[in-house]
Amino acid sequence: MKTYVITGATSFIGSWLVRHLLGEGNRVIAVVRSRPKAVSMLGDHEQLQVVEADMDAYGRLPGKIRRADVFVHFAWAGTGHDGRDVEAVQQANIHCTLTAMQAAVQMGCRLFVDSGSQAEYGTQLGVITEDTPCQPFSAYGKAKLAAWNSGRTLAQQLALRYLHLRIFSLFGVGDHPWTLVMMCIDRMLRHESIDLSPCTQQWNFLNAADAARHISRLCTYALDTPAFRQEIFNIASDDTRPLRDFVEEIKRITHSQSVLNYGAIQPVNVVSLNPDCTKLRSLVGPLSTRTFAQVVTDIIRSTHTGSAPYTPPETAPQSK
C-alpha cells in the first residue's frame, strides 16, 4: 500500500484516479478547496482522507500531511474557456506547481506527478510523440509547458522523481457538460440542431477510467525503476480518427434526428490530435478497456439514472 496526495481530487480525472487508487488498496489524501463537495463526489472510504487547502496554501500542506509516497498535482486554475488565455491566472499556476513540488519533498514523497496537456504541442499536423517540438498558442498551453521546464529543473535539485503527463481528450461518466461529447449527447437526445466546426481534423478520445489506470501504472513504474528520474508520457488512446466520425457515432447511438451544421463554427486555431502512445503502451498494455461507443452508452445510462457506475479495471469488459 502506498499513500498518494492528490490535488484537484474532485476534478474529472482526479475523482477517477482517487477511485482507482482506493480500489487497488492504496491510501489517498485528497486535497480540495471544499470538503462538502469532496465528500459528495468521492464518498466515504476508510483509506480516504480529505484535506482542505486553496492552491495558494500548498506550502502549508506539510503541516497537515505527515508522510506520503506520491504527490499527484491536478489542481489548475483557469481551465475553462474564460480563463485559458488570462496570463496572470496561468502564471500563478506555475508558481503553485513549484510550491507543491517543494511541499512533496517535505512530506517525504519520492515521486511528483503533474498533469500537462496536449495544448503544449499547439497546432500539429502529423503524429505527435513526446519528442515533438512544442508550439503552444494559448496561455494555458504555454503555462503547462513552462511548469514542466521549471519543474524538471527543480525536481533535479530536490532529487525528486518527476512524471509529466501530457493528457489528450478525456471523456466518460461524470465529464463536464460543456465538452463536445457531453454537449452532443445532451442535444442529440433532445433532437436539437447543433452548430459545429467542420470537424475534419484528427481527434483522439480516452476514457477517464482508463486514464486513471494508466497513471497508476506509470507511478508504479517510476517508483520501481531505480534509474528513473523524470519523463514525459502522452496519455491517450489508440482510437484516432476524424472528429466527425465520433460525432456521427454519437448520433447513431442516440438514434437522434438532430441536424448537424458542420462548418457553422470556424475556429481560429484548428487543432489536430494524432498522438503516438508507444511509450505508454509498452508499460500499461492495451490503452482502452471499453470502446468509444460503450463509454457513450455508459454516459447515457448514468445521465438517466443519476449514478456514475465504476467498473474496476481488472473486471472491466474488454473492447474487441
Side-chain angles (χ1 to χ4, degrees):
M1 180 182 74
K2 297 182 181 66
T3 298
Y4 288 77
V5 175
I6 303 178
T7 68
T10 57
S11 65
F12 180 42
I13 181 56
S15 60
W16 275 104
L17 183 60
V18 167
R19 295 189 198 112
H20 182 92
L21 292 173
L22 290 173
E24 289 186 323
N26 296 290
R27 179 169 177 254
V28 175
I29 302 173
V31 179
V32 299
R33 285 178 289 182
S34 169
R35 180 180 295 272
K37 179 181 178 181
V39 172
S40 174
M41 288 187 64
L42 303 177
D44 185 24
H45 193 286
E46 62 180 359
Q47 294 296 333
L48 174 64
Q49 176 186 351
V50 176
V51 172
E52 285 186 273
D54 288 332
M55 289 178 64
D56 59 4
Y58 286 169
R60 295 194 290 273
L61 283 178
K64 300 180 179 182
I65 303 170
R66 286 188 176 183
R67 192 200 70 80
D69 300 295
V70 181
F71 194 115
V72 182
H73 181 50
F74 284 149
W76 193 273
T79 56
H81 292 295
D82 57 342
R84 291 174 74 91
D85 276 311
V86 180
E87 285 285 348
V89 172
Q90 298 302 332
Q91 289 298 313
N93 283 318
I94 302 170
H95 175 73
C96 288
T97 299
L98 300 180
T99 300
M101 187 173 284
Q102 292 168 326
V105 172
Q106 295 178 52
M107 296 174 197
C109 292
R110 293 185 291 141
L111 173 65
F112 185 84
V113 184
D114 68 358
S115 57
S117 169
Q118 53 84 15
E120 295 176 60
Y121 292 115
T123 301
Q124 303 286 345
L125 298 179
V127 175
I128 302 172
T129 73
E130 288 85 354
D131 295 323
T132 297
C134 291
Q135 300 174 331
F137 56 82
S138 66
Y140 170 79
K142 292 174 183 178
K144 287 287 189 181
L145 180 60
W148 156 247
N149 286 328
S150 297
R152 61 180 176 174
T153 299
L154 180 59
Q156 187 174 15
Q157 295 171 351
L158 298 173
L160 180 64
R161 302 182 185 205
Y162 181 22
L163 270 175
H164 184 67
L165 311 174
R166 287 194 175 140
I167 301 175
F168 284 67
S169 284
L170 301 183
F171 81 118
V173 174
D175 198 357
H176 301 295
W178 58 81
T179 63
L180 177 66
V181 170
M182 299 298 276
M183 180 273 292
C184 283
I185 290 173
D186 179 61
R187 294 192 184 179
M188 287 181 186
L189 285 173
R190 290 185 278 144
H191 306 289
E192 297 178 355
S193 63
I194 306 175
D195 289 345
L196 297 157
S197 73
C199 294
T200 54
Q201 71 268 45
Q202 294 293 302
W203 208 258
N204 183 288
F205 284 108
L206 173 67
N207 184 12
D210 286 318
R213 176 172 59 87
H214 301 339
I215 294 168
S216 173
R217 179 66 188 86
L218 289 175
C219 287
T220 299
Y221 155 74
L223 288 172
D224 293 349
T225 305
F228 181 89
R229 290 298 175 266
Q230 48 188 239
E231 203 163 346
I232 298 171
F233 280 88
N234 286 340
I235 306 297
S237 75
D238 281 324
D239 189 5
T240 297
R241 42 182 154 137
L243 183 56
R244 186 178 295 208
D245 282 10
F246 291 108
V247 175
E248 294 291 342
E249 188 163 6
I250 296 172
K251 185 175 182 180
R252 288 193 296 273
I253 294 168
T254 56
H255 305 287
S256 181
Q257 298 176 23
S258 294
V259 175
L260 306 181
N261 300 313
Y262 291 109
I265 299 173
Q266 293 293 333
V268 176
N269 294 292
V270 178
V271 176
S272 182
L273 303 185
N274 189 1
D276 180 289
C277 292
T278 302
K279 281 178 60 177
L280 178 66
R281 192 185 307 104
S282 69
L283 294 172
V284 306
L287 299 183
S288 300
T289 56
R290 294 178 71 72
T291 65
F292 179 80
Q294 288 173 326
V295 179
V296 168
T297 301
D298 289 343
I299 293 170
I300 294 171
R301 288 172 178 166
S302 172
T303 302
H304 283 285
T305 63
S307 61
Y310 176 70
T311 306
E314 60 271 18
T315 60
Q318 296 296 309
S319 58
K320 301 296 185 183

